[in-house]
Amino acid sequence: QVQLVESGGGLVQAGGSLRLSCVASGRLFVIGTMAWYRQAPGKQRELVASISGSGGTNYLDSLKGRFTISRDNAENTSFLQMNSLKHEDTGVYYCNANYRLIMGVGTNDAWGQGTQVTVSS
């Protein structure tokens, strides 16, 4: 099993920045793609950005240029730098990681508990 813990959420004014972090922990695992999702009140969860093990990135089109995903493979950590935040970026942000256990078969998905991001207008 792999556990994910997010941090870095909070309240920020429109135009401000936040940096989210997600740390994966467990035993004998290899992390593949890491991603960030968000869920606004009354809306479905949506993919914000993802990053592969080799560093390839993918973003929600409307967020390109404002959000940047990165990772530190040595620390099993992903980051989401969010700049020029808007009120509509408000929501719960969830970390996701696809992983495999070294002694296991196949891959699994892990989710963090979520961190609240509130952007005041």
Side-chain angles (χ1 to χ4, degrees):
Q1 282 283 63
V2 168
Q3 293 79 42
L4 303 179
V5 177
E6 303 109 331
S7 61
L11 174 64
V12 64
Q13 288 188 332
S17 297
L18 283 174
R19 188 186 193 220
L20 305 183
S21 299
C22 171
V23 180
S25 64
R27 296 182 69 242
L28 302 175
F29 65 95
V30 177
I31 297 282
T33 297
M34 302 187 78
W36 288 92
Y37 289 73
R38 69 183 182 186
Q39 187 164 19
K43 295 188 177 181
Q44 288 190 327
R45 190 175 298 189
E46 62 179 356
L47 175 66
V48 171
S50 64
I51 183 167
S52 69
S54 59
T57 57
N58 180 53
Y59 293 92
L60 183 65
D61 280 347
S62 60
L63 300 177
K64 288 180 180 178
R66 294 197 297 123
F67 287 19
T68 303
I69 189 171
S70 59
R71 65 189 287 167
D72 181 337
N73 289 332
E75 299 294 331
N76 289 316
T77 301
S78 72
F79 306 96
L80 184 68
Q81 178 68 42
M82 306 185 293
N83 298 328
S84 302
L85 283 163
K86 304 176 181 179
H87 177 66
E88 51 263 42
D89 294 320
T90 294
V92 180
Y93 284 69
Y94 297 91
C95 178
N96 167 267
N98 185 260
Y99 69 95
R100 64 176 178 85
L101 298 174
I102 292 175
M103 300 300 292
V105 177
T107 62
N108 303 279
D109 264 341
W111 290 89
Q113 79 287 356
T115 185
Q116 177 69 44
V117 171
T118 303
V119 184
S120 62
S121 55

